Amino acid sequence: MEVNDQVEALHANFGGVRAEYLRHELFGLFTRPTYWPELLTMRPVFLIGGRGTGKTTVLRGLSYEGEAALQGEDLDRWNHVGVYWRVNTNAVSAFEQRGYDEHKWESVFGHYVNLVLAEKLARFLIWHDDRVNAGPSDRSACRATATSLGLESCSSAAALARSIHEALLDLETRINSSSALDAVTLSLPGRPLDELAAEVSALKPGGELPVYFLVDEFENLLNYQQRVINTLVKHSGDAAYTFKIGVKETGHREVGTLGNGQAISEPADFASVDIAQSLRGDAFEEFARNICQLRLNRVFDGAEAPEIRALLPGLTVDEEALQLDGEPASRRVIESLSEQGASQGLVEQVEALPVSYVLLLDYLARAEERTLVDTCSAYVGNRTKLRNAYNNHAYAMLFTLGRNKLGKKKFYCGWGTYTLLADGNIRFLLELVFEALNRHLELDNSLEDPVSPRTQTAAAHSVPERALLQLPGLAAEGAQLARLVLGLGRLFQVLAAHPEGHAPEVNQFTPTGNIEGALPLLNAGVMHIALTRFRTDKRASASGEVSDFSYQLHPIFSAYFNYSHRRKRKLKLRAGEILGLGSDPRRHLDVILKRASRSPHDTAASENTLFSEVFRAES
Amino acid sequence: MYLDITQLPYALWAPLLKAALDVPQALHVVYRAPNEYVESDFNERGVLFDLSETIRGVRPLPGFAKISAEHEDNKLVVPLLGFEGNRLGYIVETVQEPAESVHPVVGVPGYRLDYPFSAWAGNQDPLADGFMFRRVRFAKASCPFSVFGLLEDIARDEDDPYLIVAPIGTRPHGVGAILFALTNPGRVEIVYDHPVPREDAARGVHRVCTYDISGFLLDRAADESRVDH
């Protein structure tokens, strides 16, 4: 296969990483995640995951269009009928103010949800009738649904869909003009869906076909609107339908319902599937490998494709130390050892060690504030002690190589490292693989050959840079989040470059003090994948207290800032400092680093524009 | 009747424009284009943060809500670009249409020779998404009627799509978008992100523009009538 053909095929198969972008290609590339069976029950499920974790792909896979593509159009083979509804911010935010109180809007929005979901079911019936060549069927459920929605009676799904569309236009006109909403006949939440869902459910010969309402981007709903959906979820147990709801982490803000305000709770009313938790470790690695291999096979278009893991080889610590000019550095260590009066025997023993071990000894001497001779004497004669020190500190030592100069920095390469950088986020992983393979081709290489560690590292730098550039546009707090990421990234970069005498691989933080003020920013960070959060105290996991959480920058940013992507150690950050990093990172960073006995001037900042812009005065 | 939109927020002048068109009087829109913008506000990639802090978020302009477009399947997004690339990123993220459905519009010619380049530079990152830059079209930055005509062209070229227009660039382009939405109520949706402008972002007066809205709509109606006959 020619390189040019490979470039084109690569863009076609790896370039589109969003479910919304793939359209008809989506189902051809669909891979079932390990949590898939948890979604195939009548229990309502909140599918929780950040941007890029695959919620939309999964929900679309559950839709009837997905079932038809994945299982075929024969309803006998189906488990359910799913109708997909993405919550459109521009539409749902029309349902507020205009002089009406929230109670009134609850009723109007509940009616709107009935109209939208009923129209979707009606469209499924039209689709079904077309497939079985039955033509428009006379359906009593359509009449009942129309009556329930306050519409003129209609006997077919097509007539019902038309009638609902007109009702939506009428509602839209009323919202846009001064005409009163009071004149609209409102339906009770969920009531019009009962008979229509029962009609759909009975389509499967000799069995039941429950309806799944697949609600995506639940976080876009206003708080009172979340209560409306919660109410439908709570009462769905008695009906022929259930809900599968995609929501970003921290996006399910309201647990109340309408009326008496009863809250929905887990496990009584619903189950949660946290995608990042479900796909942690090996499960994500396997899921990601299947997805990438499927796409890679399509790039090769029938010819034998290489294994994706083989295309992205990693480096051992020793190989990496060599690539980071470790050879001359280790020679200098050995010369220094001789100059300091070490015995010939000790020098020879050190010379016999691999380069990374020699550099580690130098690192340990600085960390323990001992002479190089004393350090080498203590470790070289005790292999167990040396191996333990290597296991604990060798990786952290790599970040100290070249810390005061621009240019060669720590490598981020290997399939395993890429899956850890992506941390359960399939979009990040696809972007990493695409960037690496694309850069590899741009250097006139072929996809039959492995991608060099340097090219992989360059890709690992560019993906987080793009994520950082996109942050200001993702949310109203986007600019604050971008500064917080820059501030935290610089903090962990300086800590990583100067670990001697401190705990190595510090890359997480626990908020302290009055954290209520910092929570909106932290929650927005989690929602938009700038941060990840995790329970600090596993015993407290049931309490749901916000203080239980610790945070870290999403591991994808570690390559950009040059610190360890591995989940390791925490430091404490005051709530005021977190907010301060979001508003003026340079000033607050100085204070935090001073407390950690470091100085930002000790470490060269990255060459990139964003960095230098924010930290200009520093350098 | 003169409507000066220079200082009014979109959420105020857009419904005023809609209401004014129902009044049987000639309508002119007035806009004073600033002499200069504070350069660092848009000139470098790294400073795009300064402006995005003020985005309040997408919600409909009063009188322009759309709740009935759930099943439109031929959607095209037309962002009318300004200097702030973060606003384009936010709009694209919010509407969630494929990048190949996004047809950005840059104000060319600009109020000043260099403005189109600044707009391009400010939007370069989101424009790279899905080769969006390949579909960029141009309309005179100071002319609402130019962008109106361009939107008509896009609608015609793309087989009567449902247009999602995001007026995040010049105010005259915003006027053109609103007029187009008002004259094509079923096929156009306005998406707006409600930024809060910084007080010191613009200085002085470069030019005062007056747009004869009623005259334009009358001429257009006459043209259509001629075509019909």
Side-chain angles (χ1 to χ4, degrees), chain A residues 101-376:
Chain A
D101 62 15
E102 206 166 72
H103 183 65
K104 176 66 180 174
W105 280 120
E106 282 175 357
S107 307
V108 176
F109 186 73
H111 178 60
Y112 168 71
V113 172
N114 283 339
L115 289 169
V116 168
L117 296 182
E119 187 184 16
K120 287 182 180 294
L121 278 186
R123 285 179 186 272
F124 163 72
L125 285 170
I126 297 167
W127 177 91
H128 171 262
D129 291 348
D130 283 350
R131 295 297 179 290
V132 297
N133 297 321
S137 305
D138 186 66
R139 297 185 184 280
S140 60
C142 292
R143 268 192 292 276
T145 304
T147 306
S148 192
L149 286 167
L151 310 176
E152 280 185 22
S153 183
C154 29
S155 58
S156 72
L160 179 63
R162 268 197 309 276
S163 191
I164 290 174
H165 186 65
E166 283 162 15
L168 284 168
L169 282 171
D170 178 61
L171 190 57
E172 181 179 288
T173 305
R174 288 173 186 279
I175 286 174
N176 282 329
S177 66
S178 53
S179 38
L181 284 170
D182 295 324
V184 181
T185 306
L186 301 175
S187 54
L188 288 172
R191 180 69 191 89
L193 306 175
D194 291 343
E195 295 216 28
L196 208 51
E199 176 94 5
V200 170
S201 183
L203 287 176
K204 186 172 181 173
E208 285 189 353
L209 204 55
V211 169
Y212 291 2
F213 290 118
L214 310 162
V215 183
D216 200 3
E217 304 197 11
F218 182 81
E219 68 279 358
N220 291 347
L221 294 168
L222 302 172
N223 285 5
Y224 86 83
Q225 295 170 347
Q226 293 198 352
R227 288 200 295 275
V228 171
I229 302 295
N230 290 343
T231 307
L232 293 174
V233 167
K234 194 167 185 70
H235 297 299
S236 63
D238 309 326
Y241 60 82
T242 185
F243 284 83
K244 311 293 171 187
I245 298 175
V247 60
K248 291 195 174 83
E249 197 173 355
T250 74
H252 193 178
R253 302 177 302 275
E254 275 282 341
V255 291
T257 56
L258 303 178
N260 59 13
Q262 261 188 319
I264 56 168
S265 61
E266 187 177 9
D269 301 307
F270 67 92
S272 294
V273 172
D274 183 326
I275 296 176
Q277 290 298 328
S278 301
L279 290 180
R280 189 134 280 162
D282 291 345
F284 178 66
E285 194 279 329
E286 188 185 341
F287 175 61
R289 184 157 33 92
N290 290 339
I291 288 177
C292 290
Q293 194 64 51
L294 183 62
R295 293 187 183 222
L296 190 61
N297 293 345
R298 288 169 63 123
V299 170
F300 278 77
D301 193 25
E304 192 179 350
E307 220 253 302
I308 186 72
R309 288 178 298 187
L311 262 186
L312 300 166
L315 290 173
T316 64
V317 170
D318 204 56
E319 288 167 341
E320 189 162 346
L322 282 170
Q323 296 256 8
L324 292 168
D325 293 338
E327 185 81 59
S330 75
R331 274 202 304 275
R332 284 195 295 276
V333 172
I334 291 164
E335 283 165 17
S336 176
L337 192 61
S338 296
E339 286 163 14
Q340 287 178 26
S343 67
Q344 188 58 29
L346 183 61
V347 173
E348 283 172 8
Q349 277 183 299
V350 173
E351 271 183 320
L353 292 171
V355 162
S356 58
Y357 276 81
V358 178
L359 296 173
L360 177 72
L361 289 167
D362 185 45
Y363 168 89
L364 290 171
R366 292 194 306 273
E368 295 169 5
E369 295 182 343
R370 294 202 288 181
T371 65
L372 192 56
V373 178
D374 286 350
T375 308
C376 289

Side-chain angles (χ1 to χ4, degrees), chain A residues 18 20-21 23 51 85-86 90-91 93 119-120 123 165 169 172 176 217 469 472-473 476 479 483 613, chain B residues 44-45 47 52-53 59-60 63-68 70-71 86 90 93 95-98 129 189-190:
Chain A
R18 298 176 61 139
E20 300 82 14
Y21 287 17
R23 287 192 169 169
R51 187 170 172 266
W85 176 40
R86 183 179 81 84
N90 205 35
S93 55
E119 187 184 16
K120 287 182 180 294
R123 285 179 186 272
H165 186 65
L169 282 171
E172 181 179 288
N176 282 329
E217 304 197 11
L469 284 165
R483 282 193 289 264
E613 189 64 36
Chain B
E44 290 180 59
R45 224 172 150 191
V47 291
S52 64
E53 203 160 28
R59 62 172 191 279
F64 293 86
K66 274 278 172 208
I67 63 166
S68 60
E70 193 61 40
H71 292 288
N86 54 330
Y90 179 58
E93 178 68 21
V95 299
Q96 300 239 332
E97 289 300 316
D129 189 10
E189 177 174 346
I190 298 289

